[in-house]
Amino acid sequence: MATLKRFIANADETFRTVDANKELLASLYRITTHYPPVHTCSTGWKFEGFYNGPTSIAYLFYRLSQIFPDMEFKQQSLLDWAEAYLALGARRTKKDPSPNNCGITNETLAHLSLTAVMKRDINIVRQICSFAAYVNNLQLTSSDEWMYGRAGYLYFLRLCETLIKETQNPESSTATLLDKTVDNTITRILANPPPHYWHGKDYHGAAHGTIGMITQLVLTRPSIAVALHLMLELVLIRQFASGNFPATEGSHVDFLVQFCHGAPGINIALRSLLPHFSEKVRAKMEAAMKSADEEVWRRGLLSKNPCLCHGIPGNALALTEGGQERLLHFLSWMGTEELESRGWLAQEARDGEAAGLFTGEAGRAWVWGVVAGGWPRVLIGFNDI
């Protein structure tokens, strides 16, 4: 194995393996030991919704508690840990979401939606819906992508729907308000015809681009897929011969192979979208996924610190072929031994984002949990609900 500038050459003739249960516990130990749910001068917390910060870690523990409902860690339930990290985020001054800051990184929406489902408080759902009038204002410059825009707002609304389904009559006033908010947000997104620009460029990928928007629209309202097949095909036809995808329209640069930009994020999205499109479109999707899978396998062992956004764990979830043996081989490159020998842990000790869900250790814990628990290869905060 030779470490190249961007990725570790995946050239082993025999598969490696790794103990996902053991690595999950090691990952949770590093989070709770080095980034405990307290605020100190050395912690350097950033409060960036489900992307990074204590609320993102709270969401990790909450979702892991659904995979492992009876699991205890350091003599506390996973929900207890979720509540501890959520309480840390509660001390953060909240700012109302805006049309350009309402996506998955928005701390206010993330904290409120997670509080709503954990406390089973439908009044908070109504508060989240109250932001829609400003977020969906037609007169304001705005964003529709997942990371900062309305597609991310749809994810929060979908999370709230899980609470309504558990606690409310579908005819209740809160259920009706949530349905209306979802519909109005979808209408507002579709009021901006493609191309959808972010920072002046037409992005294709999961974080800032078209495929991320399509994913949130369809998973929120599956019936809308029929109206989006042309938009989806416009992404598919951009695929490089390598199997990768360009980050932006018109780009001929083929080097970003990660969740945010490139084949991994698009593969993760396509896997969730596949059941909702016609047979004709599905055939194109499957062909694109097979080609993308080989590219992720070839160039997806990124030499950056392993995280969901641009590293091995996010890319591992994109693998569609080869079963568990192939997946564990891929993940062995982010096991504790590799983290230590490659200096990744030492580097993260100086990084304020080292524990975050999409930026560091919490993302690795999610992938270990998915594998250990036998869950589908879904990406928390993106296509897991």
Side-chain angles (χ1 to χ4, degrees):
M1 292 284 179
T3 302
L4 304 181
K5 186 174 181 180
R6 285 194 165 269
F7 63 94
I8 302 165
N10 192 5
D12 269 3
E13 294 182 0
T14 58
F15 284 157
R16 297 164 32 139
T17 191
V18 66
D19 186 333
N21 289 281
K22 179 181 177 181
E23 292 296 343
L24 170 61
L25 295 176
S27 187
L28 295 181
Y29 176 82
R30 288 190 289 269
I31 293 170
T32 56
T33 302
H34 302 301
Y35 291 87
V38 295
H39 191 58
T40 66
C41 294
S42 61
T43 303
W45 287 113
K46 294 183 179 180
F47 294 84
E48 298 175 323
F50 287 164
Y51 184 76
N52 182 33
T55 301
S56 78
I57 298 174
Y59 195 45
L60 165 73
F61 277 105
Y62 171 72
R63 294 293 280 126
L64 285 179
S65 75
Q66 296 174 321
I67 301 178
F68 307 102
D70 300 320
M71 180 178 174
E72 287 194 354
F73 181 75
K74 293 185 178 180
Q75 299 180 319
Q76 291 188 171
S77 72
L78 297 182
L79 278 177
D80 287 339
W81 282 108
E83 289 174 356
Y85 281 98
L86 189 65
L88 178 57
R91 294 195 288 271
R92 176 74 170 182
T93 301
K94 301 295 187 293
K95 296 182 180 179
D96 285 355
S98 70
N100 274 315
N101 184 11
C102 57
I104 211 71
T105 61
N106 185 274
E107 178 67 20
T108 298
L109 290 170
H111 197 274
L112 286 173
S113 60
L114 182 53
T115 302
V117 296
M118 288 184 62
K119 306 296 185 184
R120 303 174 75 82
D121 189 337
I122 63 170
N123 290 323
I124 299 178
V125 175
R126 301 185 72 89
Q127 183 181 357
I128 293 168
C129 291
S130 72
F131 296 123
Y134 184 37
V135 165
N136 293 330
N137 191 313
L138 281 166
Q139 308 305 316
L140 299 175
T141 302
S142 59
S143 173
D144 289 317
E145 38 87 68
W146 167 82
M147 197 162 174
Y148 298 105
R150 296 188 189 92
Y153 185 43
L154 281 180
Y155 181 89
F156 295 125
L157 296 175
R158 198 158 71 250
L159 181 57
C160 290
E161 285 183 330
T162 66
L163 172 64
I164 296 299
K165 290 174 182 176
E166 293 176 1
T167 63
Q168 293 286 297
N169 183 308
E171 303 301 323
S172 70
S173 60
T174 303
T176 300
L177 174 62
L178 183 56
D179 278 343
K180 182 178 180 181
T181 303
V182 168
D183 290 341
N184 287 345
T185 304
I186 289 175
T187 298
R188 180 65 184 87
I189 292 173
L190 295 179
N192 290 336
H196 299 95
Y197 292 104
W198 185 74
H199 284 200
K201 295 182 179 180
D202 178 15
Y203 281 82
H204 301 309
H208 304 297
T210 303
I211 199 69
M213 293 167 50
I214 294 173
T215 302
Q216 302 313 314
L217 287 165
V218 172
L219 294 187
T220 307
R221 289 289 185 269
S223 61
I224 204 171
V226 67
L228 300 177
H229 71 95
L230 288 179
M231 191 185 300
L232 175 60
E233 290 189 74
L234 285 175
V235 175
L236 298 180
I237 64 174
R238 267 63 179 182
Q239 190 171 29
F240 291 130
S242 67
N244 198 25
F245 289 84
T248 59
E249 179 61 24
S251 173
H252 301 289
V253 179
D254 178 7
F255 67 92
L256 292 176
V257 184
Q258 58 193 52
F259 165 72
C260 293
H261 310 290
I266 291 178
N267 242 24
I268 290 169
L270 291 178
R271 188 186 301 128
S272 290
L273 294 172
L274 199 60
H276 303 293
F277 284 84
S278 68
E279 184 176 348
K280 179 181 178 181
V281 180
R282 283 201 304 270
K284 297 178 182 179
M285 295 166 72
E286 289 170 343
M289 290 169 67
K290 185 173 182 179
S291 180
D293 182 84
E294 290 306 314
E295 178 67 344
V296 175
W297 179 256
R298 187 173 71 88
R299 289 201 290 165
L301 290 174
L302 301 186
S303 55
K304 291 183 178 180
N305 280 38
C307 66
L308 289 178
C309 184
H310 43 253
I312 291 171
N315 287 2
L317 293 177
L319 294 173
T320 58
E321 306 287 337
Q324 193 81 345
E325 188 179 35
R326 202 177 194 219
L327 176 63
L328 290 176
H329 169 84
F330 204 84
L331 289 177
S332 71
W333 295 99
M334 70 170 203
T336 299
E337 185 176 329
E338 289 290 334
L339 295 176
E340 292 173 344
S341 66
R342 292 183 179 274
W344 281 329
L345 289 181
Q347 182 179 337
E348 288 183 342
R350 303 184 296 273
D351 186 354
E353 298 184 339
L357 187 52
F358 276 82
T359 59
E361 189 71 69
R364 297 196 288 266
W366 170 253
V367 177
W368 294 126
V370 164
V371 176
W375 267 42
R377 299 178 195 178
V378 290
L379 187 63
I380 185 173
F382 184 73
N383 67 335
D384 58 317
I385 55 173

